Amino acid sequence: MSTPSKVVKRWEITAAYSGCSSRDFLLRAGEFSRQLIKKVRVSGDVYVNGERVELWQPLQDGDVLEVVFPEEERGAIEPMEGPLSIVYEDEDVLVIDKPAGLFSVPPFDKTEPSVAAFLLFRYIQKNYPCTVHIVTRLDRDTSGLMLVAKHAYSHRLLTQSLQKIDRRYKAVAEGSLNADQGMIDQPIARAEGSIIRRTTSPEGRPAQTRYEVEKRTGRYTWLRLQLMTGRTHQIRVHLEYLGYPLAGDTLYGGSACPGIPGQALHCYQLNFRHPWSKKRMTLVSETPGEWDRFA
């Protein structure tokens, strides 16, 4: 087997950090966690101008600092071969268009296919030295765009600004909503006696969902939604609260729809700041063709 590839990042030191140690630079400018610093110190490598150094050694204006990250542990995920629709990939991030019916991460028994298992198989095939870091998960029966960090450092940067990752959804709700737009502001808690189901509750965590009607088609209302918070099953719970459950969402009051695997909910747009280049990125995805029946 060929030698695993390495994850490497480089910085050019400015006068503002002259005299600062590599460790302090990485904590302050690099936004490293102390845990990541420790992993680099123990199992990775740090170079300044091509020469290996210790993290305590000072930096000078114009130096080039290079960090070679250690190989990551895979954890308990079992790799599984399977198809992935990758809409964007570089050395730091992946964006996947997930079909409905596929888990984001393996369920408890580890036997069902999942995005994480498919990605890990792909990483092993490509001899990539990292584990899977999913940043934005989707429920099994929700389709659309998912953001994945390619390595632990990218994951650290993305989760530090998780509230700035903007996810937009399209959905089909049962019935005809009266208001053309609005904000659902209802706390969400775990439903009593269930480990899966959620419900609105004054004792729950704050949750806000903004919605806008795209069109009404008799029995159904097509919606665009924006998550202002990120609670489990948030859109599904909020629409049940309004009295307009998602089509196909039998867990939250909707009726089963033949040919639709679960709720009619799709993450159609993902907007985020790239963890390394810092550029804003926007990716989009078309709703599943099966939704034509709701037109």
Side-chain angles (χ1 to χ4, degrees):
M1 181 178 290
S2 60
T3 303
S5 56
K6 302 276 188 185
V7 174
V8 180
K9 288 296 175 187
R10 297 176 182 86
W11 295 262
E12 185 170 340
I13 306 305
T14 62
Y17 293 98
S18 184
C20 179
S21 70
S22 297
R23 179 184 183 278
D24 287 345
F25 174 85
L26 293 173
L27 285 170
R28 290 160 57 190
E31 299 181 71
F32 276 51
S33 65
R34 283 176 169 76
Q35 182 181 25
L36 188 55
I37 286 280
K38 182 178 179 180
K39 288 181 178 179
V40 168
R41 178 176 60 81
V42 173
S43 305
D45 287 299
V46 179
Y47 297 89
V48 173
N49 303 327
E51 294 188 10
R52 193 178 187 282
V53 299
E54 299 296 332
L55 282 167
W56 57 264
Q57 291 178 240
L59 299 166
Q60 301 300 322
D61 183 20
D63 282 348
V64 175
L65 172 65
E66 179 179 272
V67 173
V68 181
F69 291 87
E71 187 172 349
E72 297 177 12
E73 294 182 6
R74 303 290 193 187
I77 300 174
E78 289 294 330
M80 187 180 300
E81 186 173 10
L84 287 168
S85 177
I86 296 174
V87 298
Y88 179 83
E89 182 177 12
D90 60 29
E91 65 180 20
D92 300 300
V93 298
L94 266 163
V95 177
I96 291 168
D97 199 346
K98 186 185 84 68
L102 180 65
F103 286 100
S104 292
V105 296
F108 295 118
D109 64 6
K110 312 293 184 187
T111 61
E112 293 283 347
S114 69
V115 170
F118 292 172
L119 272 176
L120 189 57
F121 181 88
R122 185 173 185 269
Y123 288 176
I124 292 170
Q125 292 297 107
K126 291 180 174 292
N127 224 11
Y128 187 64
C130 298
T131 191
V132 178
H133 302 277
I134 292 178
V135 179
T136 60
R137 297 186 185 186
L138 293 175
D139 295 340
R140 177 183 61 181
D141 292 329
T142 298
S143 58
L145 300 176
M146 288 177 51
L147 178 59
V148 179
K150 289 280 291 289
H151 48 80
Y153 179 47
S154 178
H155 187 250
R156 158 77 178 176
L157 295 176
L158 286 166
T159 53
Q160 283 289 95
S161 58
L162 195 59
Q163 73 279 7
K164 297 179 182 178
I165 299 174
D166 182 23
R167 289 174 286 168
R168 305 292 178 100
Y169 291 78
K170 288 189 178 183
V172 179
E174 296 182 355
S176 182
L177 273 74
N178 293 323
D180 288 338
Q181 59 185 14
M183 173 79 82
I184 311 167
D185 188 354
Q186 289 292 323
I188 292 176
R190 192 187 300 274
E192 187 176 353
S194 175
I195 62 172
I196 299 174
R197 201 175 189 281
R198 267 58 174 178
T199 187
T200 55
S201 168
E203 287 75 42
R205 300 176 69 188
Q208 297 86 34
T209 304
R210 191 183 301 278
Y211 72 89
E212 178 182 354
V213 171
E214 187 175 35
K215 62 182 176 180
R216 297 178 178 87
T217 59
R219 293 176 54 199
Y220 301 104
T221 301
W222 289 62
L223 297 166
R224 296 179 187 265
L225 305 111
Q226 180 183 10
L227 291 177
M228 313 308 292
T229 53
R231 308 300 173 218
T232 300
H233 296 177
Q234 180 172 315
I235 290 173
R236 301 166 67 185
V237 173
H238 274 171
L239 288 176
E240 180 193 39
Y241 166 80
L242 287 185
Y244 301 93
L246 289 173
D249 194 359
T250 56
L251 184 62
Y252 290 103
S255 301
C257 299
I260 304 292
Q263 65 274 0
L265 183 61
H266 181 80
C267 183
Y268 79 95
Q269 182 174 296
L270 189 61
N271 186 294
F272 63 98
R273 189 177 75 156
H274 192 279
W276 185 250
S277 71
K278 308 305 180 186
K279 294 180 180 179
R280 293 301 303 185
M281 301 192 65
T282 300
L283 295 109
V284 295
S285 166
E286 295 294 326
T287 53
E290 295 83 3
W291 286 23
D292 291 346
R293 69 182 60 213
F294 302 123

